């Protein structure tokens, strides 16, 4: 690795995932291997004009085993090394990458440097791996600067298959294609081709000079409830009465609609009156909740349900864990869920800017 201290610097954090796996010749199963093997398969890393240091989770974590405790570990690593590096690249399994990226976007308050998540669909040792290009590009973005010397993308992002996406706007959309992630409700922050084209107006602009403020508390008393035709009263009422449960992300139909069943509305109203926070997000891949549009949505609003706007399920879940983890009472959680803390939702006041950004090509 380059050791010139005057060079741009990046800390590579290897948590695990497909990008750092090799096939067991006896069982055929994918197993984790060390970061040293990773650099052996990508000799181009030694040619990059930046200083690259690395930290590795031991043992590496399959992303299916990712937990809030490990989100805290990541936030701590970034905080402890924040002043020593220009940017950070996190190698992470793709299955839960959007959850971790969303969580980190809330945990790293006043972030002013790039934190780029990436990984691969094929292991780095496979001939057609997508991991090599993803990693090299992520490092380049993590060390990229604007003409004024400030970072090009000072936020938590996901870089996959030539697209740079805001982390808390992203969902894994395909289990097999290299283009695995989509940001359905917010445009790309950058597109990668011969050149890396950054769309500056889409990128978060934070107040300069504020110190990084990490947060290490997440409350996991949150659940996702997906509505479907024929959902049973017994199931809904049992979920709403779960002991210790503080919040529900309710995936509804269309613009935030739910069945007009007396038992359903009654159960929801009783839950919110007990202090349960219920966030309404749409099952649709794109679009936003508007509970005032139809009677089937208005009934939820009147029962105390809170709009999740155009949030992804990953962002809604981790934001609730974050807010309850810090001891906010239900009314304050509801209020903050209707505010954009890290660019995770589009409010009405943001729509002209987003529409303008969409045309910023």
């Amino acid at each position: 690795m380059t050791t010139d201290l005057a060079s741009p610097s990046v800390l590579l954090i290897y948590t695990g995932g497909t990008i750092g796996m090799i096939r067991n010749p006896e069982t055929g199963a994918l197993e984790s291997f060390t970061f040293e093997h990773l650099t052996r398969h990508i000799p181009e890393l030694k040619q990059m004009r930046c200083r690259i240091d690395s930290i590795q989770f031991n043992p590496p974590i399959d992303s299916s085993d990712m937990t809030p405790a490990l989100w805290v570990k990541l936030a701590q690593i970034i905080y402890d090394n924040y002043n020593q590096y220009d940017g950070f690249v996190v190698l992470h399994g793709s299955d839960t990458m959007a959850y971790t990226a969303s969580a980190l976007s809330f945990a790293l308050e006043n972030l002013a440097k790039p934190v780029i998540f990436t990984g691969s669909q094929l292991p780095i040792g496979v001939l057609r791996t997508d991991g090599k290009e993803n990693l090299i590009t992520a490092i380049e973005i993590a060390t990229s600067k604007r003409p004024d010397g400030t970072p090009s993308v000072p936020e938590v992002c996901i870089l996959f298959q030539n697209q740079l996406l805001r982390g808390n706007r992203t969902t894994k959309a395909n289990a097999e294609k290299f283009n695995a992630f989509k940001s359905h409700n917010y445009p790309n922050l950058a597109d990668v081709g011969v050149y890396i084209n950054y769309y500056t107006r889409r990128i978060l602009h934070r107040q300069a000079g504020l110190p990084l403020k990490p947060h290490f508390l997440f409350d996991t008393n949150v659940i996702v409830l997906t509505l479907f035709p024929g959902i049973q009263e017994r199931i809904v009422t049992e979920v709403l009465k779960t002991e210790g449960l503080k919040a529900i992300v309710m995936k509804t139909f269309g613009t935030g609609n739910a069945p007009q069943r007396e038992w359903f509305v009654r159960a929801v109203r009783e839950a919110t009156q007990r202090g349960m926070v219920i966030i309404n997000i749409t099952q649709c891949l794109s679009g936003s909740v508007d509970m005032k549009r139809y009677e089937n949505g208005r009934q939820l609003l009147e029962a105390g349900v809170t709009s999740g706007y155009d949030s992804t399920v990953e962002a809604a879940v981790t934001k609730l864990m974050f807010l309850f983890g810090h001891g906010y009472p239900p009314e304050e959680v509801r209020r903050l869920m209707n505010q954009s803390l890290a660019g995770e939702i589009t409010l009405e006041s943001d729509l002209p800017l987003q529409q303008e950004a969409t045309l910023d090509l």
Side-chain angles (χ1 to χ4, degrees):
M1 300 297 177
T2 303
T3 57
D4 181 2
L5 295 180
S7 301
S9 57
V10 63
L11 180 62
L12 194 59
I13 306 171
Y14 176 62
T15 69
T18 299
I19 193 171
M21 305 191 89
I22 190 169
R23 195 170 298 280
N24 185 310
E26 296 181 1
T27 67
L30 292 175
E31 299 174 349
S32 298
F33 64 89
T34 65
F35 178 74
E36 286 70 23
H37 287 101
L38 188 70
T39 56
R40 189 181 309 163
H41 282 275
I42 311 180
E44 291 86 350
L45 292 176
K46 298 178 181 180
Q47 302 173 26
M48 300 193 73
R49 297 180 179 179
C50 64
R51 177 168 60 93
I52 304 173
D53 295 329
S54 66
I55 290 179
Q56 179 178 331
F57 278 23
N58 188 21
I61 304 298
D62 184 290
S63 70
S64 298
D65 292 320
M66 191 57 63
T67 65
L70 294 173
W71 299 342
V72 169
K73 181 177 179 178
L74 264 176
Q76 185 71 63
I77 290 171
I78 292 170
Y79 176 65
D80 289 344
N81 293 278
Y82 191 69
N83 294 326
Q84 283 72 53
Y85 296 94
D86 294 293
F88 302 84
V89 171
V90 181
L91 298 182
H92 192 291
S94 61
D95 287 349
T96 60
M97 186 184 292
Y99 283 97
T100 304
S102 295
L104 266 289
S105 75
F106 304 123
L108 298 173
E109 185 179 350
N110 300 329
L111 179 69
K113 295 181 179 183
V115 176
I116 311 299
F117 281 77
T118 195
S120 67
Q121 294 286 67
L122 284 176
I124 204 70
V126 174
L127 185 61
R128 293 193 306 108
T129 182
D130 53 324
K132 180 177 177 179
E133 184 175 340
N134 285 346
L135 176 54
I136 291 173
T137 303
I139 292 172
E140 184 171 348
I141 291 173
T143 56
S144 174
K145 298 292 181 67
R146 296 171 181 165
D148 64 0
T150 59
S152 296
V153 191
E155 58 174 290
V156 178
C157 304
I158 289 178
L159 182 282
F160 235 84
Q161 191 64 13
N162 301 325
Q163 296 184 96
L164 184 69
L165 311 171
R166 178 168 295 162
N168 58 33
R169 291 287 194 150
T170 309
T171 295
K172 186 174 182 181
N174 197 296
E176 296 181 347
K177 292 184 178 180
F178 288 158
N179 189 11
F181 288 89
K182 296 291 184 184
S183 176
H184 294 287
N185 287 319
Y186 198 80
N188 297 358
L189 302 184
D191 287 316
V192 180
V194 174
Y195 303 101
I196 300 177
N197 295 316
Y198 296 97
Y199 305 121
T200 305
R201 284 180 290 179
R202 304 175 186 177
I203 297 168
L204 283 177
H205 298 279
R206 304 180 190 271
Q207 183 177 343
L210 296 177
L212 178 66
K213 184 178 179 181
H215 298 275
F216 304 123
L217 300 173
F218 291 91
D219 188 327
T220 59
N221 287 293
V222 177
I223 197 170
V224 178
L225 175 64
T226 302
L227 301 186
F228 56 88
I231 191 169
Q232 296 182 29
E233 176 180 358
R234 174 178 55 83
I235 294 173
V236 174
T237 54
E238 287 299 317
V239 169
L240 292 176
K241 292 180 180 179
T242 301
E243 184 177 357
L245 187 63
K246 296 180 179 179
I248 294 175
V249 177
M250 184 180 292
K251 298 180 68 176
T252 58
F253 309 120
T255 56
N257 303 312
Q260 281 190 308
R261 299 286 186 271
E262 186 275 335
W263 64 262
F264 182 85
V265 178
R266 183 184 68 251
V268 168
R269 181 182 295 110
E270 290 175 352
T272 59
Q273 289 175 348
R274 292 195 305 269
M276 180 85 68
V277 175
I278 301 178
I279 303 300
N280 187 353
I281 66 171
T282 177
Q283 296 179 27
C284 299
L285 295 178
S286 62
S288 183
V289 161
D290 180 1
M291 288 187 284
K292 297 179 180 180
R293 181 174 296 184
Y294 298 104
E295 182 59 31
N296 287 51
R298 187 177 295 274
Q299 64 177 352
L300 295 180
L301 183 64
E302 293 172 351
V305 173
T306 302
S307 175
Y309 294 90
D310 57 351
S311 176
T312 64
V313 65
E314 295 91 341
V317 166
T318 55
K319 186 176 179 180
L320 285 167
M321 289 183 178
F322 170 77
L323 294 174
F324 275 111
H326 287 75
Y328 291 116
E331 278 307 311
E332 182 66 4
V333 171
R334 293 186 183 103
R335 186 184 74 82
L336 291 172
M337 289 300 293
N338 280 175
Q339 292 188 10
S340 179
L341 303 184
E344 71 280 2
I345 56 175
T346 305
L347 303 174
E348 289 185 7
S349 58
D350 299 327
L351 285 174
L353 176 62
Q354 180 168 330
Q355 291 166 354
E356 180 183 15
T358 303
L359 299 174
D360 183 13
L361 299 175

